[in-house]
Amino acid sequence: MLLRNLFIAFLVTVSITTAQAAPQWLSLPPTPTLPKAAQSGFAPVNGIKVWYAVFGRGQPVLLLHGGLANANYWGHQVRALQRHYQVIVMESRGHGRSSRNQEPYGYDSMASDVIGLLDHLKIRQAAIVGWSDGAIIGLDIAMKHPERVSRLFAFAANSDPSGVADIASSDVFNAYIARAGEEYKRLSSTPTEYKGFVAEITKMWESQPKWTASDLATIKVPTWIVDGDHDEAIKRENTEFMAASIPGAGLLIQPEVSHFSFLQDPEQFNDDVLRFLARGRQVRSNGEVRGSQAGRSGLVPP
């Protein structure tokens, strides 16, 4: 009887613990590490040094991280993608191991850095997977340098500062900002300047980007606009606006994840990226790449 009662108590405890566990969209899993790179280093670009690493072989896929972050955040994605593609990660100017100059932060200049790295690596064209600021940089490149982008998976971007939600009360986002500060101290050549770095990046966020429907309509690259259904930082109406404004774009809302989907449910995120990239291999008889307007529940044509 004693063992039976202890077993029942154990089951009740497990049940209560499970019921009280926070949903994954309220979690911030650890920052992963990158696997061993085939090539890494610093590329001299636009008067700065851009840190990059290359993994795997095949068609090139470039991963662009979000604001305040570094390339390590892509660890789960690199491991999934390097089996099929040549995967390139880089760190935006002033982020991670990359240096910066006195030029104010701006998406145009960071997009120019990406083009400079591709030139350095002698990569004519790459698919881009971007998160947050990285997705905005991808959209900038798709507008201004479409010949350099084969496909664009834009996760958690905004087209205008008004599309950003108030994150001040978000425990997850506040934890991310604090974590990014510790990572900045470990990686940056200016480890004591995180506070000033955040202040300067915030100025950019408050004024950029400023894209209209007409601006977005110039994008002809096959594009998916993607976000999590519990994104703390991006307003859903702005996500839907972007997908509706880009010709032929798909809208994918990933379930039960937030702005940090690629950490919270990397299997789901990776599957979506791989499915999107695989569409690039489907060509019509005339050789043109097919559009990307269909998929599982949550992918809504404009």
Side-chain angles (χ1 to χ4, degrees):
M1 179 63 70
L2 177 61
L3 288 176
R4 179 175 178 273
N5 289 341
L6 287 172
F7 181 70
I8 291 174
F10 170 76
L11 291 179
V12 170
T13 300
V14 170
S15 177
I16 292 173
T17 301
T18 302
Q20 292 177 341
Q24 66 179 5
W25 63 82
L26 292 178
S27 69
L28 186 66
T31 305
T33 58
L34 291 169
K36 183 178 180 180
Q39 176 186 352
S40 66
F42 292 88
V45 174
N46 295 331
I48 63 172
K49 294 181 179 179
V50 172
W51 186 87
Y52 72 93
V54 182
F55 310 82
R57 299 176 63 184
Q59 296 176 346
V61 178
L62 177 63
L63 307 182
L64 301 178
H65 64 73
L68 310 183
N70 56 75
N72 294 354
Y73 279 79
W74 289 124
H76 299 311
Q77 287 64 54
V78 170
R79 287 177 172 82
L81 296 176
Q82 70 176 351
R83 305 167 193 164
H84 312 282
Y85 299 95
Q86 180 189 55
V87 183
I88 306 102
V89 299
M90 63 172 284
E91 291 175 333
S92 295
R93 58 172 56 207
H95 293 67
R97 288 148 278 213
S98 292
S99 68
R100 64 162 300 194
N101 52 26
Q102 295 305 308
E103 183 180 349
Y105 286 103
Y107 292 114
D108 285 349
S109 60
M110 289 195 282
S112 178
D113 295 341
V114 173
I115 299 301
L117 176 64
L118 293 177
D119 289 344
H120 177 80
L121 296 175
K122 296 180 170 56
I123 295 174
R124 184 183 64 84
Q125 188 181 69
I128 292 179
V129 177
W131 153 49
S132 196
D133 275 6
I136 295 171
I137 294 168
L139 289 162
D140 191 292
I141 295 170
M143 290 181 203
K144 299 178 175 68
H145 305 278
E147 74 284 355
R148 306 305 296 267
V149 190
S150 59
R151 305 179 69 72
L152 173 60
F153 186 97
F155 176 81
N158 59 285
S159 62
D160 186 273
S162 65
V164 179
D166 182 7
I167 59 170
S169 61
S170 169
D171 291 340
V172 175
F173 223 95
N174 287 328
Y176 164 68
I177 293 171
R179 176 191 297 181
E182 294 303 312
E183 293 166 345
Y184 183 93
K185 291 177 186 177
R186 292 197 300 270
L187 298 174
S188 178
S189 60
T190 57
T192 62
E193 297 181 13
Y194 183 66
K195 185 176 180 180
F197 166 66
V198 173
E200 292 190 50
I201 289 290
T202 300
K203 290 179 183 177
M204 179 184 73
W205 291 340
E206 290 173 346
S207 61
Q208 300 180 36
K210 283 275 191 177
W211 293 325
T212 65
S214 296
D215 294 326
L216 294 167
T218 65
I219 296 177
K220 308 303 181 186
V221 173
T223 300
W224 276 6
I225 299 296
V226 188
D227 205 359
D229 61 350
H230 287 81
D231 194 322
E232 313 90 336
I234 305 299
K235 297 178 182 178
R236 176 70 61 81
E237 57 265 30
N238 190 239
T239 301
E240 294 174 349
F241 163 75
M242 287 190 293
S245 300
I246 298 171
L251 170 64
L252 176 61
I253 304 300
Q254 296 176 331
E256 301 181 13
V257 289
S258 78
H259 202 71
F260 305 96
S261 166
F262 54 94
L263 296 178
Q264 294 164 344
D265 195 339
E267 183 176 358
Q268 173 177 262
F269 192 94
N270 296 346
D271 285 349
D272 287 336
V273 170
L274 285 166
R275 186 159 51 88
F276 173 69
L277 294 174
R279 286 172 174 264
R281 299 171 182 170
Q282 299 172 358
V283 294
R284 296 182 181 145
S285 57
N286 63 6
E288 295 180 356
V289 177
R290 293 185 186 273
S292 51
Q293 293 189 11
R296 64 169 168 78
S297 175
L299 184 60
V300 183

